[in-house]
Amino acid sequence: EAEDEDTLVVDLRPIEDETSLFRTDSIQPDGDAGDKKGPKKKKRTKMTVQKKKPKFRLPRYKNESLRPVLMRKFAKALLVKGIAFDDDLYYTSDCPCLMNNIELEPSIQKMSPENLQVFLRFKEMSRKGFYAPISIEYHPTQEFVAVAAEDIPDLTLISEYSGIVEPTRSHLFDTKNDSIMDLLRTTTSSSSLVICPDRRGNLGRYLSGVNNSSKEGLRKLNVRSGRFNINGQCRIVLYANRNIKKGEILYYDYNAGCFGEYPTQG
């Protein structure tokens, strides 16, 4: 015969094997409900979830026949601007490579071993002019812009920012050259370094900067710049920070982390 609902007893004591899944501190053990003595509470261990570092991708073409067409457009844009193609940082006797010493700014992030392998493979390609499917197009107000000729996946390497390396003090009052990029930031302008791509440079020279004083400008961002410690020297790497659709102009904020030193309004 079934028991009456008023006399039904349900055992709510925790199952020993499942104490790690449920909280049991609010359930009293057998005996007096006010009895303070009971089973010792087990310490709950905290799980720490480590975020995976983003992994760079090598550029890919869906249509390989497009590559030589884009290379010719890029070469023509360099010729028009009078820029000699150079995919690496260019040092001079006034500013030797020894000045790019990571110990002067030790806080610069170190590139992970996995990303370093991808980056070095990318450099083998980019030194030959092989970049992501990007078309350098004439623009009526910006002269030239970089446009995605095919879809470009998130985290695809776009370019290392290259050019002539010079001390920052040489450009303290230079407001005309909007392509100057901070390379190394130290406590003095004589040891701080910038990259100037006006005479030597690569694809990175043609990416557009956003108006970082407006939300609308920042919404255009689809490329990110990062400063990395690579073999004891600072290098600037440009990569897609989201999936870029065919036909989009490539935008990045070259003042990211630079305290807005270079004007981008207008």
Side-chain angles (χ1 to χ4, degrees):
E1 188 174 345
E3 291 184 352
D4 186 78
E5 288 182 358
D6 293 333
T7 59
L8 184 64
V9 178
V10 179
D11 188 359
L12 296 177
R13 288 178 298 175
I15 300 172
E16 291 297 325
D17 292 337
E18 295 181 353
T19 54
S20 61
L21 300 177
F22 302 98
R23 291 191 61 179
T24 59
D25 50 290
S26 61
I27 302 175
Q28 296 291 340
D30 288 340
D32 185 4
D35 187 2
K36 294 182 180 178
K37 292 181 180 180
K40 292 183 179 179
K41 296 178 184 177
K42 292 185 178 181
K43 290 185 179 180
R44 296 165 66 191
T45 56
K46 292 183 179 179
M47 286 181 62
T48 56
V49 180
Q50 291 185 346
K51 288 185 178 180
K52 266 191 171 183
K53 291 186 177 180
K55 188 173 181 180
F56 291 150
R57 300 171 187 259
L58 288 173
R60 295 280 188 268
Y61 274 74
K62 292 179 182 177
N63 180 7
E64 274 295 332
S65 63
L66 191 60
R67 190 190 296 273
V69 177
L70 300 183
M71 289 180 70
R72 284 195 294 270
K73 285 188 174 184
F74 175 40
K76 184 177 179 180
L78 289 171
L79 185 63
V80 170
K81 295 290 290 182
I83 299 173
F85 175 71
D86 196 336
D87 198 60
D88 293 288
L89 296 177
Y90 185 83
Y91 298 94
T92 64
S93 57
D94 294 330
C95 186
C97 63
L98 292 175
M99 291 184 68
N100 187 359
N101 185 349
I102 209 70
E103 292 181 3
L104 298 175
E105 194 184 352
S107 61
I108 294 175
Q109 61 186 317
K110 193 169 185 178
M111 189 175 284
S112 68
E114 296 82 8
N115 277 345
L116 182 58
Q117 285 184 4
V118 179
F119 176 72
L120 293 177
R121 286 176 62 194
F122 170 73
K123 289 300 293 182
E124 292 176 3
M125 299 167 55
S126 62
R127 287 186 178 113
K128 300 172 185 176
F130 296 167
Y131 294 98
I134 296 169
S135 180
I136 307 302
E137 303 285 349
Y138 175 76
H139 191 276
T141 58
Q142 300 182 49
E143 289 189 297
F144 291 99
V145 293
V147 181
E150 292 182 349
D151 291 351
I152 300 174
D154 185 20
L155 296 174
T156 297
L157 289 168
I158 303 298
S159 176
E160 178 181 2
Y161 202 85
S162 72
I164 300 174
V165 181
E166 297 179 350
T168 302
R169 66 181 176 187
S170 304
H171 296 273
L172 288 177
F173 305 103
D174 189 350
T175 57
K176 293 181 180 180
N177 191 344
D178 61 357
S179 298
I180 295 174
M181 177 80 80
D182 279 336
L183 177 63
L184 197 66
R185 306 171 202 149
T186 69
T187 55
T188 65
S189 62
S190 58
S191 58
S192 296
L193 302 176
V194 294
I195 302 172
C196 304
D198 53 341
R199 288 172 289 160
R200 304 180 80 94
N202 62 2
L203 186 80
R205 167 66 180 80
Y206 294 96
L207 270 65
S208 301
V210 298
N211 181 352
N212 55 18
S213 63
S214 73
K215 290 182 180 178
E216 184 180 349
L218 292 175
R219 276 196 291 267
K220 295 179 181 178
L221 289 175
N222 49 21
V223 175
R224 187 171 183 175
S225 63
R227 295 189 306 145
F228 293 94
N229 173 359
I230 300 177
N231 298 327
Q233 291 191 332
C234 182
R235 310 270 286 274
I236 298 175
V237 181
L238 306 176
Y239 57 95
N241 71 346
R242 62 171 174 80
N243 293 327
I244 303 173
K245 295 292 184 183
K246 177 182 177 180
E248 281 191 67
I249 295 177
L250 273 60
Y251 287 100
Y252 74 109
D253 181 5
Y254 49 68
N255 276 336
C258 297
F259 311 104
E261 291 176 3
Y262 301 113
T264 56
Q265 293 87 351

